[in-house]
Amino acid sequence: MNDTERANATFVMLCRNKDINGVVASMQSVEDRFNHQYNYPWILLNDEPFTEEFKQRVSVLTRAPLEFGLVPSEHWVQPDWIDEDRARSGRSKMVAQRIIYGGTFCIIRYRNMCRFNSGFFFQHELLQPYRYYWRPDVKFFCDLQYDPFRYMQDNDKIYGFTISLLEWEATIPSLWSAVKEFVALYPQHVDPQNAMDFVSNDGGATYNRCHFWSNFEIADLDFWRSEPYQAFFDYLENKGGFYYERWGDAPVHSIAAALFARRDQIHFFRDIGYRHEHFQHCPQGDQWVAGRCSCDPNDSFDTHPDSCVNKFESLFS
C-alpha cells in the first residue's frame, strides 16, 4: 500500500528493556497478521534508554520505520507535591486488600505508567507528527483484511476497543466524584450525544465501573490533545488520585471518550481477535472464518459476567 492510501498513524508501545520477549511477541503478531501489508511505523517508549540488544531484537521484525524514545522524567516521576505519606498509606491499604499493583516499589512504577498514559504519552515529541495511534500490547489471533486506521479516519471515530470490563472499585473510590465536579464546572465540554449510559446506570449519579481495556486501543491523538480532555486530565492530576489511589488510564480514557465525544465515535472492533492476560476476545461466525482466527470462539470475554460489551451495544439499540 502506498503512503497516500494510509492514515497518518503509528503503533506505540511503552516498554522496558526486560520486557523484550513480550515486545517481540506482540510486534511479530501485529506484523504477521496485519502490518506486513501496510508498514505503519512503530514508536517504542521507555523511561530508561533502550539497550542495543533490545533495539537489535525488535529491528529484525519489521520493514516499517522504527523509533525509540525516552520518556521525560517530569512526565514519569511522582510529582514532588504528592504527599508521600498519604500515598504510602493508600498503597498499604491496597496491599492489605490484595489488590493487584496495590503496593511495593514496582507498583509506584505502575502508577507512573497510568499517569503517563493518561496525560502525557501523546505529548511526546515522537508522536507529534501523527493523528492516530494503536497500542498493541497483545497477542493477535486473526488476519486483518482491512486497515483499522483508515476505518477510524473515514468514519470519524475517535476511540476503538475490543474488550470492555468492570474496573476494580477499590482502586478508584473517588474518581467519579472528581468527574462529577469537573462536569459541573465545565458542562460545555460534555457532548450532547455522549455515551454517559455506558459508564453510568443512573444518569451520572454513580459510576458503573465499565471501561474499555486500554492495552488494546486505537484512538485519535487529537482527541487527547483537545481542550476538553486536557482540562479533564489537569483536573484529575491536581486531585492526586493516580498516586493516592490507583486511577488507571483505562477508566480515565473511557470516561473521557464517553463524555466528550459522540457515542457513535466509539467503535467496537469485534472482528479483531486478541489476548492480553488473562482475557481474550475471539470473533464469531463468518468473522472468525474470514480472519483465519486461531482462538477458540467459545472462549471470549464478551460472554463473561464482568464484560460491558452488552452495555456498550445497548447504546445503539
Side-chain angles (χ1 to χ4, degrees):
M1 172 170 282
N2 62 52
D3 288 347
T4 60
E5 296 175 310
R6 295 190 314 179
N8 179 19
T10 184
F11 292 100
V12 61
M13 294 183 71
L14 177 66
C15 46
R16 300 167 292 182
N17 290 304
K18 70 178 185 178
D19 298 330
I20 182 60
N21 291 332
V23 172
V24 165
S26 292
M27 287 185 65
Q28 183 178 36
S29 179
V30 173
E31 289 292 326
D32 290 350
R33 290 294 194 170
F34 167 69
N35 202 44
H36 68 281
Q37 303 177 72
Y38 294 88
N39 290 315
Y40 278 107
W42 288 86
I43 294 174
L44 305 185
L45 302 177
N46 193 345
D47 62 305
E48 297 180 349
F50 284 107
T51 63
E52 290 305 312
E53 178 189 2
F54 186 103
K55 293 178 181 180
Q56 183 179 28
R57 291 265 320 262
V58 299
S59 65
V60 302
L61 301 172
T62 181
R63 292 176 291 123
L66 177 59
E67 294 185 279
F68 302 92
L70 187 65
V71 175
S73 60
E74 63 270 23
H75 291 170
W76 186 259
V77 177
Q78 177 176 301
D80 291 340
W81 54 265
I82 290 291
D83 181 342
E84 174 55 21
D85 289 339
R86 180 181 171 189
R88 186 183 304 110
S89 175
R91 295 193 299 270
S92 298
K93 181 178 179 181
M94 290 189 189
V95 169
Q97 294 174 295
R98 297 186 177 182
I99 294 173
I100 187 171
Y101 305 129
T104 76
F105 173 77
C106 67
I107 306 316
I108 297 177
R109 188 187 188 282
Y110 182 84
R111 286 164 167 78
N112 292 342
M113 179 192 71
C114 290
R115 174 174 172 261
F116 174 75
N117 283 333
S118 294
F120 298 108
F121 85 94
F122 50 86
Q123 297 183 25
H124 196 281
E125 60 180 359
L126 293 182
L127 276 87
Q128 294 316 298
Y130 298 102
R131 173 71 184 272
Y132 299 95
Y133 73 97
W134 187 344
R135 281 178 60 183
D137 184 15
V138 294
K139 175 182 180 180
F140 287 86
F141 292 126
C142 311
D143 291 342
L144 278 175
Q145 311 293 332
Y146 67 101
D147 181 351
F149 286 127
R150 279 300 303 265
Y151 181 86
M152 298 285 289
Q153 174 183 295
D154 296 344
N155 293 278
D156 191 28
K157 304 296 184 181
I158 62 96
Y159 194 90
F161 72 98
T162 54
I163 286 182
S164 61
L165 69 167
L166 299 177
E167 179 61 296
W168 201 331
E169 187 169 8
T171 66
I172 53 164
S174 70
L175 176 58
W176 192 250
S177 295
V179 171
K180 291 198 293 184
E181 290 173 10
F182 178 82
V183 168
L185 288 170
Y186 303 98
Q188 70 273 20
H189 291 328
V190 178
D191 194 286
Q193 301 177 54
N194 64 70
M196 172 67 85
D197 289 343
F198 174 70
V199 294
S200 178
N201 299 334
D202 49 20
T206 60
Y207 179 34
N208 63 16
R209 299 185 287 132
C210 281
H211 68 287
F212 309 119
W213 221 17
S214 59
N215 46 64
F216 172 108
E217 63 181 10
I218 307 175
D220 185 342
L221 286 160
D222 283 353
F223 180 73
W224 309 131
R225 294 164 178 155
S226 69
E227 180 183 350
Y229 185 77
Q230 288 282 265
F232 180 62
F233 172 75
D234 289 345
Y235 193 83
L236 298 185
E237 167 83 332
N238 289 331
K239 292 290 186 178
F242 293 104
Y243 293 98
Y244 298 141
E245 297 175 11
R246 206 210 69 189
W247 294 355
D249 53 283
V252 170
H253 281 186
S254 303
I255 291 169
L259 298 185
F260 310 140
R262 302 191 315 271
R263 61 180 60 190
D264 66 354
Q265 290 182 295
I266 305 172
H267 182 66
F268 173 28
F269 282 102
R270 64 173 64 251
D271 55 341
I272 299 180
Y274 95 103
R275 179 178 182 84
H276 183 91
E277 298 297 338
H278 298 279
F279 305 127
Q280 68 183 42
H281 166 74
C282 189
Q284 305 293 301
D286 292 344
Q287 291 180 338
W288 181 79
V289 175
R292 298 190 314 119
C293 299
S294 61
C295 52
D296 178 355
N298 296 310
D299 181 6
S300 191
F301 191 74
D302 299 355
T303 59
H304 192 281
D306 287 342
S307 172
C308 292
V309 164
N310 290 337
K311 185 71 173 173
F312 177 78
E313 294 188 322
S314 71
L315 297 174
F316 307 98
S317 60

